[in-house]
Amino acid sequence: MPLFAIASGGNAVVVLDVPLLFETGGDRQCDYVAVVSAPGFIQRQRVLRRGGMSERKFAGILQKQLPDPQKRRRADFIIPTGLGRAVTFRSIQSIIGQLNNRNKRTKNARNRS
């Protein structure tokens, strides 16, 4: 389904998983950006467990990406994934709550005008 159809369908939050979002300028098309971040050694372990992945391929991927600290600075929200699933899920729940609150405030402001 095209994104504009999802967004215009009354959904409060639409989540996109876009590789190289900042690097391609795609972040300019988003209201908010959440960056998923893990310490480098954990990221490396996870990536190298994937089938067909090698140190060389991983190095090539990293060269294309902004460094994690830069992505974290540019993000509206950061989702930590190196502290266990419970922390990650609590972070996501917090972000959804914040977005829902912002959405409610925006709707209330529109209704008053």
Side-chain angles (χ1 to χ4, degrees):
M1 179 178 289
L3 180 59
F4 67 87
I6 295 169
S8 63
N11 295 291
V13 177
V14 177
V15 177
L16 306 173
D17 181 3
V18 181
L20 305 175
L21 181 73
F22 290 120
E23 296 81 354
T24 61
D27 59 307
R28 292 190 298 268
Q29 303 298 316
C30 300
D31 294 325
Y32 302 100
V33 173
V35 167
V36 177
S37 180
F41 75 94
I42 292 175
Q43 179 188 24
R44 182 179 174 280
Q45 287 173 349
R46 290 174 179 167
V47 171
L48 292 177
R49 279 192 293 225
R50 296 179 191 161
M53 185 55 67
S54 66
E55 288 279 357
R56 187 175 183 166
K57 287 181 183 178
F58 180 51
I61 290 169
L62 288 178
Q63 283 183 334
K64 293 177 185 175
Q65 294 180 346
L66 284 176
D68 192 62
Q70 286 183 32
K71 289 188 279 190
R72 292 168 62 95
R73 279 194 297 275
R74 291 178 64 175
D76 299 293
F77 304 100
I78 299 167
I79 301 171
T81 62
L83 302 171
R85 289 184 181 192
V87 173
T88 300
F89 289 133
R90 280 195 302 272
S91 176
I92 292 167
Q93 288 172 329
S94 173
I95 292 167
I96 291 170
Q98 291 176 60
L99 292 173
N100 283 333
N101 287 338
R102 290 177 188 185
N103 192 33
K104 287 177 189 173
R105 285 194 303 266
T106 301
K107 284 182 180 178
N108 288 338
R110 284 187 198 143
N111 290 337
R112 282 188 224 130
S113 44

